[in-house]
Amino acid sequence: MTPPTETPDTPSTPDTAAPAGPRDARSWLREHSEIGVGLLLLALGVLVLTDALTMTVDLTQRGPVGPKTVPVVVGTGLLVVAVLLTLDVLRGGRGEAEGGEDVDLAAPGDWRTVLLLAGVFLANAVLIGPLGFPISGALLFWGSAYALGSRHYDRDPLIAAGLSLLTYFVFNNLLGVPLPGGPLMGVA
């Protein structure tokens, strides 16, 4: 018996290297699509860090922490998560498919809700200047509840007004972030 000879058609080692052709490259990219999320997080992290580190800060206005601290922490966190996610995907990690026990994944998207929410947010952006935050915020909260399916017409406006006034008080008085008061805040 003679040992088998190797023919030019049969490779001596299995092909485990990088993809060879366009079909193989598409297949590899499809199997590692989470790398796109890692790249997006990387870009966001670089953008946030660049913006934070080029920010000019007046030393007389800054407190003990300064306005650069949170963006630097968030940008660094984004970079770390991007690297860890990419490494996990390259090592064979895969995200779990959506189980969605109460979500029908075959159903089409609910564009009516999306458009209603977008309209409510745009209306808030337009109305916050002339009406002030307490009124525009109440419309924002009530409109969002309506867009998401709540139909309690007697209760929702009251809850929305309470949330809006509470938010205005917390930001304006406790946190020192001035929000436009509008015509109602001038009445005393």
Side-chain angles (χ1 to χ4, degrees):
M1 279 195 171
T2 61
T5 59
E6 196 171 305
T7 61
D9 296 348
T10 353
S12 59
T13 60
D15 186 21
T16 57
R23 181 175 296 287
D24 292 336
R26 278 185 266 147
S27 174
W28 187 88
L29 286 174
R30 190 175 302 116
E31 291 173 6
H32 298 86
S33 61
E34 290 97 344
I35 291 177
V37 176
L39 290 174
L40 177 67
L41 293 175
L42 181 75
L44 284 174
V46 168
L47 179 69
V48 168
L49 280 175
T50 303
D51 196 33
L53 296 175
T54 59
M55 183 187 309
T56 58
V57 178
D58 186 10
L59 293 177
T60 59
Q61 290 182 333
R62 64 172 265 204
V65 175
K68 290 184 177 184
T69 305
V70 172
V72 167
V73 169
V74 169
T76 304
L78 285 168
L79 292 178
V80 168
V81 169
V83 169
L84 291 176
L85 176 65
T86 303
L87 286 175
D88 180 55
V89 170
L90 291 175
R91 289 181 179 164
R94 299 279 301 165
E96 272 188 41
E98 176 65 39
E101 60 192 53
D102 61 342
V103 177
D104 182 11
L105 297 176
D110 186 8
W111 288 105
R112 179 182 181 272
T113 301
V114 171
L115 292 175
L116 279 172
L117 282 172
V120 166
F121 280 100
L122 287 174
N124 182 53
V126 170
L127 297 174
I128 196 167
L131 297 181
F133 183 81
I135 295 174
S136 71
L139 292 173
L140 170 72
F141 294 137
W142 182 52
S144 298
Y146 179 83
L148 293 172
S150 180
R151 298 297 185 260
H152 298 279
Y153 299 115
D154 52 345
R155 181 182 68 186
D156 289 346
L158 295 175
I159 293 173
L163 279 173
S164 181
L165 287 172
L166 178 68
T167 304
Y168 178 79
F169 175 76
V170 167
F171 274 85
N172 204 50
N173 298 345
L174 297 179
L175 297 176
V177 177
L179 293 174
L184 290 183
M185 293 297 119
V187 178

